Amino acid sequence: MLTRKQFELLMFIHERLKETGVPPSFDEMKDALDLRSKSGIHRLITALEERGFIRRLPNRARALEVVRLPDSVSPGLAAQRGRGFSPSVIEGSLGRAPKGTARPAPAQDDTSSDVATIPVMGRIAAGVPISAIETHSHSIAVPLDMLGHGDHFALEVRGDSMIEAGILDGDTVLIRRGDTAESGDIVVALIDDEEATLKRLRRKGASIALEAANPAYETRIFGPDRVRIQGKLAALFRRY
């Protein structure tokens, strides 16, 4: 899932390549998206590239190639880009432990009291930040002994930047909701109230570093006012 700006930029590049065969300049992209600086375009380009939507061709100025479009793109959607998209971020009480007990209510379709229903709230990139948390798409059954106090939700992982932490593309991560974390915790971090990512948190003085577990990805450092913790990794599920 892409943020509105990422989607708009991807479709702008795609349409320009279709029309002229030449990708737009950073100034053209900045004007098209009504951004104040080209640094914002650079961040969007980096996010799209590391998410696998575009490719920058080496040793060639302004050389961009659209590798793929979002699954949701259908004929005629490009003309409507930017409409009807409003990312929401971990809201509501889905996955919350019932009042007065440390354990969530058991799944209604499971006769065992040892299983709880946890909402899957969309996809998150284990790569560069993307808008991650949308609406409740479906639920998974989670053993109660994997849960503790508080709210829990799950996210589907896309990307490979956390592979050395054992988190692979296609995994489902269980997140315990919270706005604090210790240095070294793997967290869902929200950047600039728009983009979210799954990374290891490191604190460097007054700054916050979001560290990948893959040497192919760089550590990204932000001021403390740009990052909000949304939850910590509690467990991981994988299908074979």
Side-chain angles (χ1 to χ4, degrees):
M1 182 176 176
L2 300 177
T3 67
R4 178 176 58 83
K5 288 295 186 184
Q6 289 168 357
F7 180 77
E8 288 181 350
L9 181 59
L10 177 62
M11 297 310 301
F12 179 65
I13 295 170
H14 174 65
E15 291 169 6
R16 179 62 64 88
L17 285 170
K18 284 178 60 179
E19 293 171 1
T20 68
V22 179
S25 67
F26 271 44
D27 283 323
E28 290 172 327
M29 290 186 267
K30 176 176 69 70
D31 293 341
L33 271 67
D34 195 27
L35 296 180
R36 295 182 178 179
S37 70
K38 289 187 285 188
S39 62
I41 293 296
H42 177 75
R43 288 195 296 270
L44 294 173
I45 288 288
T46 300
L48 290 171
E49 181 182 26
E50 297 195 23
R51 281 284 293 152
F53 287 97
I54 65 173
R55 179 184 298 120
R56 278 187 275 202
L57 305 179
N59 304 318
R60 294 172 58 186
R62 286 178 54 180
L64 294 174
E65 176 186 11
V66 175
V67 179
R68 66 186 179 94
L69 296 176
D71 295 338
S72 60
V73 172
S74 59
L77 185 60
Q80 305 174 33
R81 70 180 186 274
R83 294 191 298 176
F85 177 82
S86 179
S88 59
V89 181
I90 313 178
E91 297 184 356
S93 60
L94 290 168
R96 177 173 298 172
K99 187 175 181 180
T101 178
R103 292 187 170 186
Q108 293 181 355
D109 58 352
D110 196 308
T111 58
S112 171
S113 61
D114 296 329
V115 176
T117 299
I118 298 298
V120 178
M121 304 299 292
R123 297 176 178 178
I124 189 166
V128 298
I130 63 166
S131 179
I133 301 138
E134 41 184 325
T135 57
H136 176 203
S137 59
H138 62 284
S139 299
I140 57 173
V142 177
L144 288 177
D145 59 9
M146 298 181 68
L147 303 175
H149 292 275
D151 300 348
H152 291 78
F153 60 93
L155 294 167
E156 296 176 349
V157 174
R158 292 293 179 267
D160 62 356
S161 77
M162 297 301 290
I163 56 175
E164 292 189 1
I167 303 172
L168 308 182
D169 182 63
D171 286 347
T172 297
V173 289
L174 179 67
I175 304 298
R176 179 178 295 111
R177 182 177 177 176
D179 57 8
T180 61
E182 300 295 329
S183 185
D185 288 341
I186 295 176
V187 302
V188 173
L190 184 68
I191 301 169
D192 296 332
D193 289 324
E194 183 184 58
E195 301 177 333
T197 188
L198 183 71
K199 288 289 184 292
R200 192 178 298 279
L201 176 73
R202 300 290 187 190
R203 299 189 184 276
K204 298 186 176 182
S207 299
I208 292 177
L210 299 179
E211 179 184 273
N214 181 338
Y217 294 81
E218 65 179 9
T219 297
R220 304 185 66 177
I221 300 176
F222 302 91
D225 58 333
R226 295 185 59 192
V227 177
R228 290 196 294 122
I229 305 303
Q230 302 292 281
K232 296 193 295 184
L233 178 68
L236 178 145
F237 304 90
R238 180 175 302 151
R239 291 184 177 181
Y240 292 92

